[in-house]
Amino acid sequence: MTNVVVLIKQVPDTWSERKLTEGDFTLDRESADAVLDEINERAVEEALQIKEATGGEVTLLTVGPQRANEAIRKALSMGADKAVHVKDDAVHGSDAVQTAWILARALGTIEGVELVIAGNEATDGRVGAVPAILAEYLGLPQLTHLRKLTVEGDTLKGERETDEGIFEVEASLPAIVSVNEKINEPRFPSFKGIMAAKKKPVDVLTLAEIGVEADEVGLANAGSSVTSVTPKAAKAAGEKVTDEGDGGTKVAQYLIAQKII
Ligand SMILES: Cc1cc2nc3c(=O)[nH]c(=O)nc-3n(C[C@H](O)[C@H](O)[C@H](O)COP(=O)(O)OP(=O)(O)OC[C@H]3O[C@@H](n4cnc5c(N)ncnc54)[C@H](O)[C@@H]3O)c2cc1C
């Protein structure tokens, strides 16, 4: 495989408090600890395993603010070879369609791309659509929500997992895939890997350098936006039923009162 590109995204750590910015409801990235999305660690792991089996190199691609370089370094320390970071203030507030457009144009600057691996859904936006939109923009086959992936020559074979079941799917290269959390267990960066990552090349590009106009992206030009937000109600404590020989009856009465039965 000549070059496997992994789409990585830095997201707020699910363990820290996540907040939206007053006014435009975009994610307040500064208020939370930021991490490489766990699903993207798995995407990187899959790319590294393919590289170990078939040769070639692994390139990371991210669209994000300055701070996203921490996520890049983490993925480089796992073993990826190099990275492209699209960093431009005009990207702020871009929706999934615009993000995929930026990724599509950035991919055009990377040589020898045969396979693109993404996570199936980012932990913050949870749109679950960027890989599919990207495939549409590039006119490439897409295998999404894979729990298993194998490369046999120019053919990709995978198991796609959805609520309906498991589907055996295949596509010819070049192609785009997205993976779910069952695909593998990502490796931990070694000390050697962490040291080596400091010297690996990271190409930082503006929108102009990938041929995207500022008025094609960003909150003001997004096709969709958040218009209001209501926090979820805090979970109330459940009702405890003490069984004094009539537990079954009490549970049934509760379910009838809730109109569940
Ligand atoms: C509070 C909030 C509100 C939002 N509102 C909207 C909205 O109204 N409309 C809308 O369309 N979007 C909205 N988004 C999504 C936001 O704009 C996303 O960052 C962007 O649209 C991509 O969506 P996603 O990250 O959920 O992608 P997904 O499709 O869930 O991501 C799947 C995979 O695509 C790749 N990927 C995604 N983003 C990047 C990236 N920046 N760089 C590299 N790879 C990437 C990763 O591999 C990721 O695992 C909102 C997000 C938040 C947090």
Side-chain angles (χ1 to χ4, degrees):
M1 185 84 63
T2 322
N3 196 354
V4 181
V5 174
V6 188
L7 306 182
I8 62 164
K9 187 179 183 191
Q10 189 186 47
V11 296
D13 192 343
T14 40
W15 295 105
S16 62
E17 198 196 347
R18 290 180 283 180
K19 284 198 305 198
L20 300 181
T21 312
E22 296 282 337
D24 68 7
F25 303 119
T26 56
L27 193 64
D28 181 356
R29 293 181 187 277
E30 296 308 315
S31 72
D33 294 335
V35 293
L36 170 62
D37 203 349
E38 197 195 314
I39 195 68
N40 293 156
E41 287 185 27
R42 295 178 197 272
V44 172
E45 175 64 37
E46 202 58 22
L48 294 174
Q49 288 183 19
I50 291 169
K51 175 186 160 173
E52 282 154 11
T54 67
E57 58 181 356
V58 173
T59 305
L60 309 167
L61 172 58
T62 194
V63 178
Q66 172 65 28
R67 203 180 176 191
N69 64 12
E70 296 158 17
I72 291 174
R73 289 295 161 199
K74 166 95 189 269
L76 288 173
S77 66
M78 288 174 70
D81 298 288
K82 55 193 171 76
V84 173
H85 180 181
V86 180
K87 182 169 76 74
D88 196 305
D89 289 345
V91 172
H92 174 76
S94 294
D95 65 14
V97 175
Q98 294 167 316
T99 303
W101 175 237
I102 299 167
L103 290 168
R105 298 309 298 246
L107 273 170
T109 69
I110 302 171
E111 280 180 21
V113 182
E114 281 190 278
L115 175 61
V116 178
I117 306 182
N120 59 349
E121 180 182 279
T123 320
D124 55 353
R126 300 189 68 182
V127 177
V130 166
I133 302 169
L134 180 61
E136 282 294 316
Y137 273 136
L138 297 175
L140 291 178
Q142 52 172 300
L143 301 182
T144 54
H145 298 270
L146 297 188
R147 65 171 200 174
K148 191 172 174 202
L149 173 65
T150 50
V151 183
E152 292 172 17
D154 283 344
T155 306
L156 292 178
K157 293 191 176 174
E159 286 180 8
R160 176 173 206 267
E161 183 174 29
T162 73
D163 289 345
E164 279 75 45
I166 313 291
F167 300 79
E168 304 275 338
V169 289
E170 64 176 68
S172 56
L173 291 168
I176 295 179
V177 307
S178 76
V179 297
N180 75 11
E181 70 289 348
K182 294 189 188 148
I183 192 81
N184 57 42
E185 279 306 318
R187 68 193 67 185
F188 288 106
S190 63
F191 180 69
K192 199 173 150 210
I194 293 168
M195 296 313 286
K198 294 182 199 286
K199 293 188 189 138
K200 291 181 178 174
V202 178
D203 206 2
V204 181
L205 299 173
T206 62
L207 289 177
E209 285 170 312
I210 58 170
V212 173
E213 300 289 333
D215 65 2
E216 291 178 292
V217 297
L219 194 60
N221 307 299
S224 58
S225 61
V226 179
T227 54
S228 75
V229 175
T230 311
K232 263 193 194 169
K235 272 193 187 161
E239 196 176 315
K240 212 179 217 174
V241 174
T242 309
D243 186 10
E244 291 162 344
D246 59 351
T249 310
K250 282 182 179 164
V251 169
Q253 282 168 347
Y254 175 82
L255 293 175
I256 291 165
Q258 299 296 317
K259 297 193 170 52
I260 293 170
I261 57 172

